[in-house]
């Protein structure tokens, strides 16, 4: 950020340049002008004196020969304080006020002197030059004359020292310089003061800005170096205010999330965009005592769970591509605890990472097991008394005895309900066996149409009784599914039984259609019954859930059939869902389930 000259130096330089130009320039110019005008005036003055001298000599009385000339000029020169020379046309000096007449012959030829040369061409010649013999500047003026009496024509020349005039000018120049120096000094002091106040103001601003940068967020600029800086100061103070407010918000949010993390019962792992753990919370440390050492590691290194690692990578990868995908994974720790792990990407500017939340579901699992075992035990215990109730009722009905009054019909009711209870216990036992995974399952490739036909046969009597037609449509090139035959028959039986039960009496129609979709076989069981309201569609798969509790005119159910179907399909890596009305129609219900095809699920066989 070094930008050469400092602001202050720049100002100083500019001021000096301006001062120099404004003061020294005119001073030098006028000094020069005055000097040249003074010279001009001095030369004019000498020329005037020369004219007067020429006239005086022309009109003087006397012998008017060389000796007379010599004596006269010596007299005049002494009085006029000048040197007078008379030079013949050839250049040789005839008389000179500074030399005796007998020595002028020794003087060098003067023909080449500038003023003499000029005097020959023009009426008057003048020259100002340095004379080594005098040791200063001399003004020379020369004039051609036609001679005086017996003095031959020549050039009359006078010389006057210029030194006095120059001394005068120089003294004036000295004064000028002194004044200049004084003005310079005063200006310099003023400049320094002005610059100091300016730079002090700016420096104050810079200092406050630096203080704020170093964390002094409550600092504000109070001195404004000039009106031009007011918007800057305002903007800067506003910025500092906002930064302070933002930092306060961030700090508060940070302590809030800190408190949330610390107070949570769920364990939390925060991952950065590279998939490394950046922090953990106390609850996680309770679940995994080594958790504090996890920081910097990958979830796989920390938990040794490849499935979790894979899910994390997936969530992070989607997050990087801007997709928001959540994942759930179930884990079972060494200490036999069960965790449900939710993975959520952290969105934001740039990609931040992901949050991994561990919920301890061991208790839920345990309770589910307790309930399942309880149901299984109760069902089992009820079996024996129920068998004897059923057995005695049947024996009495079959005994051929004549019962008085309503006794026979009461016995019929007892038998019917005992039958129903028996079926219910069957279902309950089966459900808990399937749920616990204790039900024996032998998966093998098979044709689903066979299972359908077997179930259809079992329900033919009920269908005929209710006047419901059941039709099946399976692809000609039957792909094999991987399933347990008995359980698949059970799925078909439960679905067909429901469909037949709910289809309208006399004109009911149940259609079963199967098709291959991807590596699954999708089977749809459609009926033209009353349908299921949307709010019940998902719930009918819950155990004991019935939409219309024991509607009149239909055999009462227990609400376990669909729950069994769902569990069987889940164990087969398949799925089931209900749709109502049947797509493309205005009523009825469709139960649609999918099963993996045998070829696609070769590897799943080993897994199950
Ligand atoms: N095809 C259907 N049309 C309309 N409602 C249905 C149909 N199939 C099931 N349901 C509704 O879903 C509920 C649950 O069905 P589920 O088969 O689980 O129990 P259930 O048939 O009542 O008794 P269970 O099958 O144990 O003898 C039914 O009571 C009924 O309300
Ligand atoms: Mg049913």
């Amino acid at each position: 950020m070094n930008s050469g000259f400092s602001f202050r130096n720049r100002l100083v330089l500019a001021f000096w340049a301006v001062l120099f130009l404004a003061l020294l320039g005119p001073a030098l110019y006028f000094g020069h002008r005055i000097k040249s005008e003074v010279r001009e005036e001095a030369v004019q003055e000498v020329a005037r004196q020369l004219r007067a001298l020429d006239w005086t000599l022309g009109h003087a009385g006397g012998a008017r020969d060389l000796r007379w000339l010599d004596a006269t000029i010596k007299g005049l020169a002494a009085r006029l304080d000048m040197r007078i020379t008379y030079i013949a046309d050839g250049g040789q000096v005839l008389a000179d006020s500074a030399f005796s007449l007998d020595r002028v012959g020794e003087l060098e030829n003067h023909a080449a002197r500038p003023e003499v040369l000029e005097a020959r061409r023009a009426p008057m010649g003048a020259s100002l030059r340095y004379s080594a013999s005098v040791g200063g500047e001399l003004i020379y003026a020369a004039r051609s004359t036609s001679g005086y009496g017996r003095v031959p024509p020549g050039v009359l020349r006078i010389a006057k020292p210029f030194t006095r005039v120059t001394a005068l000018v120089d003294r004036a120049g000295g004064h000028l310089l002194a004044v200049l120096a004084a003005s310079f000094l005063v200006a310099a002091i003023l400049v320094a003061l002005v610059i100091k106040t300016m730079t002090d103001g700016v420096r104050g601003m810079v200092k406050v800005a630096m203080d704020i940068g170093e964390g002094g967020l409550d600092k504000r600029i109070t001195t404004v170096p000039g009106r031009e800086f007011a918007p800057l100061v305002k903007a800067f103070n506003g910025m500092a205010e906002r930064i302070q407010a933002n930092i306060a918000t961030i700090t508060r949010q940070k302590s809030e999330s800190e408190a949330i993390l610390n107070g949570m019962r769920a364990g939390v792992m925060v991952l950065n965009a590279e998939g490394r753990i950046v922090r953990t919370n106390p609850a996680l440390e309770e679940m995994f005592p080594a958790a504090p050492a996890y920081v910097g590691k990958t979830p796989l290194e920390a938990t040794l769970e490849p499935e979790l690692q894979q899910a994390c990578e997936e969530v992070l990868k989607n997050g990087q591509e801007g997709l928001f995908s959540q994942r759930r994974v179930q884990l079972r720790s060494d200490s036999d605890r069960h965790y449900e792990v939710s993975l959520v990407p952290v969105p934001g500017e740039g990609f931040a990472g992901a949050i991994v939340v561990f919920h301890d579901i061991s208790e839920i699992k345990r309770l589910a097991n307790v309930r399942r075992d309880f149901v299984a035990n109760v069902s089992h215990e009820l079996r024996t008394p129920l068998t004897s109730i059923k057995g005695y009722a049947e024996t009495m009905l079959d005994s051929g005895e004549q019962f008085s009054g309503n006794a026979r019909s009461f016995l019929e009711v007892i038998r019917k309900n005992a039958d129903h209870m028996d079926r219910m216990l069957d279902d309950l036992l089966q459900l808990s066996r399937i749920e616990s995974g204790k039900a024996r399952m032998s998966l093998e490739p098979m044709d689903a149409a066979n299972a359908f036909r077997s179930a259809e046969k079992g329900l033919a009597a009920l269908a005929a009784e209710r006047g419901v037609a059941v039709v099946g449509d399976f692809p000609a090139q039957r792909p094999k599914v991987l399933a347990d035959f008995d359980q698949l028959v059970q799925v078909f039986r439960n679905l067909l039984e429901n469909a037949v039960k709910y289809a309208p009496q006399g004109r009911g129609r149940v259609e079963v259609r199967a098709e291959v979709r991807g590596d699954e076989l999708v089977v749809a069981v459609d009926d033209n019954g009353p349908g299921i309201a949307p709010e019940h569609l998902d719930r009918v798969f819950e155990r004991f859930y019935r939409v219309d509790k024991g509607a009149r005119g239909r055999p009462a159910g227990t609400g376990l059939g669909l729950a069994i179907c769902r569990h069987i399909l889940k164990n087969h890596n398949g799925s089931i869902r209900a749709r109502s009305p049947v797509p493309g129609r205005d009523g009825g219900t469709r139960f649609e389930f999918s099963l993996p095809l045998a070829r696609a699920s070769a590897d799943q066989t080993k897994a199950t």
Side-chain angles (χ1 to χ4, degrees), residues 145-281:
T145 70
S146 48
Y148 313 107
R150 271 178 286 151
V151 176
V155 173
L156 178 67
R157 186 187 81 165
I158 62 174
K160 245 188 134 171
F162 184 56
T163 337
R164 269 210 320 260
V165 182
T166 42
L168 210 75
V169 171
D170 285 347
R171 223 175 20 254
H175 288 309
L176 190 66
L177 267 178
V179 171
L180 263 182
S183 324
F184 246 79
L185 196 70
V186 173
I189 292 170
L190 279 177
V191 163
L193 279 175
V194 168
I195 289 177
K196 190 173 152 44
T197 43
M198 279 174 77
T199 48
D200 277 359
V202 173
R203 212 173 288 154
M205 272 170 44
V206 171
K207 185 168 168 5
V208 175
M210 280 169 69
D211 285 351
I212 291 175
E214 279 160 19
L217 286 172
D218 49 343
K219 295 257 165 59
R220 296 288 179 272
I221 300 174
T222 47
T223 50
V224 184
R227 195 144 41 95
E228 298 83 346
F229 288 96
L232 179 68
V233 168
K234 202 173 154 212
F236 195 89
N237 284 344
M239 192 175 78
E241 200 114 328
R242 278 194 301 283
I243 291 178
Q244 195 176 13
N246 285 349
I247 298 244
T249 312
I250 291 170
T251 317
R252 202 197 55 240
Q253 283 172 349
K254 187 164 181 270
S255 39
E256 273 171 16
S257 45
E258 197 77 8
I260 292 172
L261 271 184
N262 291 341
M264 254 170 107
R265 286 190 48 202
V268 176
M269 235 181 220
V270 182
L271 300 184
N272 64 12
E274 284 76 52
R276 301 251 156 207
I277 299 168
V278 285
R279 69 161 296 173
T280 56
N281 75 338

Side-chain angles (χ1 to χ4, degrees), residues 494 497-498 501 561-562:
N494 289 356
E497 187 193 280
N498 285 351
K501 245 179 357 182
L562 289 175

Side-chain angles (χ1 to χ4, degrees), residues 39-58:
R39 274 163 176 254
E40 187 70 15
E41 185 50 39
V43 170
Q44 291 295 322
E45 178 58 30
V46 172
R48 270 196 299 278
Q49 287 182 350
L50 178 62
R51 268 199 303 278
L53 180 68
D54 187 29
W55 187 87
T56 310
L57 285 175

Side-chain angles (χ1 to χ4, degrees), residues 420 423-424 427 494-495 497-503 525 527 529-532 536 539-550 555-564 588-591:
H420 179 55
R423 272 204 313 278
M424 193 162 26
D427 284 353
N494 289 356
L495 293 180
E497 187 193 280
N498 285 351
V500 169
K501 245 179 357 182
Y502 291 100
V525 180
D527 66 48
I532 301 175
H536 299 297
R539 301 206 59 192
V540 291
F541 296 103
E542 293 169 14
R543 61 171 76 73
F544 299 117
Y545 192 88
R546 287 155 64 204
V547 178
D548 50 349
K549 315 267 184 263
T558 51
L560 289 171
L562 289 175
I564 291 171
T589 311
R590 165 175 292 181
F591 281 91

